[in-house]
Amino acid sequence: MNDNLIICPHCSSDACYVTENSPTIKTYSCFGCGFTTNSLMKEGEEFYNQQVEVLPDLYKDVLFTDKDGKIWMPVTINLPQNGMVFYNGTNKENAKWAGVKAVKVEETEKEKYPIKGKTGEFYEWRMDMTTIKSFEMKDFMEALSYIEVLPE
């Protein structure tokens, strides 16, 4: 497996990380703009079709196709003990990155957070939507810092 950094075709950042998952599949994750893609995210690929079916409309509206035909979309980061970073808005004109911090579920509240399919088991952490904070497109790394994934 090979990893390296490239210039992002979406935002021109030099913080686009490429991971070679197999001889035929590479994953691209840009920490400059927060967009991601892989070798299978192209028009006509079954993988792409499956992804588009479940994407929120906002994500569909901001898809970006690079010169090689790879289709980029915003990433969603969900780390149960830290929080979540996601693209948020009612349309692409007002969308921004959002960061939400995780909080420990109090013992007295655990019944409100059952783990689906696991009788008697409950989540230990939940996303606290009162902590939501917006970040501009170019501030994806600041959103990651907000949920304490990256240092300040």
Side-chain angles (χ1 to χ4, degrees), residues 5-23:
L5 288 171
I6 64 166
I7 300 299
C8 176
H10 183 252
C11 71
S12 301
S13 162
D14 62 357
C16 188
Y17 191 67
V18 183
T19 303
E20 191 173 322
N21 306 93
S22 73

Side-chain angles (χ1 to χ4, degrees), residues 109-127:
E109 292 186 311
K110 74 176 189 177
E111 301 283 328
K112 295 179 186 176
Y113 303 98
I115 298 174
K116 188 176 179 178
K118 296 188 176 184
T119 305
E121 291 187 41
F122 305 92
Y123 286 102
E124 293 181 43
W125 298 86
R126 67 175 177 80
M127 298 302 138

Side-chain angles (χ1 to χ4, degrees), residues 78-84 99-105 124-129 131-132 146-148:
N78 187 350
L79 301 170
Q81 294 182 19
N82 291 75
M84 186 165 58
V100 176
K101 293 185 177 192
V103 294
K104 191 104 166 119
V105 174
E124 293 181 43
W125 298 86
R126 67 175 177 80
M127 298 302 138
D128 182 0
M129 294 308 287
T131 67
I132 194 166
Y146 177 68
I147 65 166
E148 300 177 5

